[in-house]
Amino acid sequence: ATLAPLSADTRVCDYTGDVVRGASHSSSYLLTYVEHAVAAPLAVRTAVDATDRGGVARFINHSCDPNLRVVAFRERLDQVPALSLVTRRAVAANEHLSFHYGGDQDILTADLYAQHHSATPCRCGSANCSGFLPMHTSSH
């Protein structure tokens, strides 16, 4: 939970850890983010494993109605971006912080989400809970 109120679009923390190369990595604390650029034919994939060297972001829970989203920040185009958790909306003091483990749910259709959920029950308690946690795939 946050101790103070936060306004929308506030950078809360970075998802830190070891940058992972290759597609066959499995971890409970793996965050994979894919940037899609309109002008570029290829997507840029960044994967961070917070198991051994992660920060507080790895302890933020999933919600089907989150108040945080993952945003990639980079100083230069040739750098690995910082994967930051940013508020989606204003967040009240003492409100539990959460993000959607399957990526930006604003762009996930019901059909796409149904194809990529796991068998692990979701216990987020939100009114629009999908019932299952997202399956980790190679993209967010």
Side-chain angles (χ1 to χ4, degrees):
T2 178
L3 298 178
L6 301 170
S7 59
D9 298 317
T10 299
R11 191 173 182 174
V12 174
C13 62
D14 289 344
Y15 197 92
T16 59
D18 296 314
V19 175
V20 176
R21 309 268 186 237
S24 62
H25 187 83
S26 178
S27 168
S28 295
Y29 294 109
L30 183 66
L31 176 66
T32 304
Y33 184 87
V34 178
E35 297 172 83
H36 300 278
V38 176
L42 299 175
V44 177
R45 178 184 173 273
T46 302
V48 176
D49 183 353
T51 302
D52 295 326
R53 299 189 314 167
V56 297
R58 69 179 161 170
F59 300 115
I60 297 177
N61 290 324
H62 164 83
S63 176
C64 294
D65 188 22
N67 49 22
L68 302 175
R69 70 182 187 279
V70 179
V71 176
F73 287 97
R74 63 175 81 235
E75 299 285 323
R76 297 185 338 245
L77 289 177
D78 62 341
Q79 282 184 319
V80 173
L83 300 181
S84 301
L85 296 177
V86 175
T87 54
R88 300 174 60 81
R89 57 171 173 76
V91 177
N94 298 315
E95 186 175 343
H96 183 78
L97 297 174
S98 62
F99 72 103
H100 194 286
Y101 288 176
D104 191 345
Q105 73 278 11
D106 291 341
I107 61 172
L108 290 176
T109 65
D111 289 342
L112 181 61
Y113 191 81
Q115 295 171 26
H116 296 287
H117 71 74
S118 69
T120 304
C122 179
R123 292 176 172 56
C124 74
S126 73
N128 63 341
C129 181
S130 69
F132 296 93
L133 289 176
M135 184 182 312
H136 186 273
T137 63
S138 61
S139 63
H140 259 72

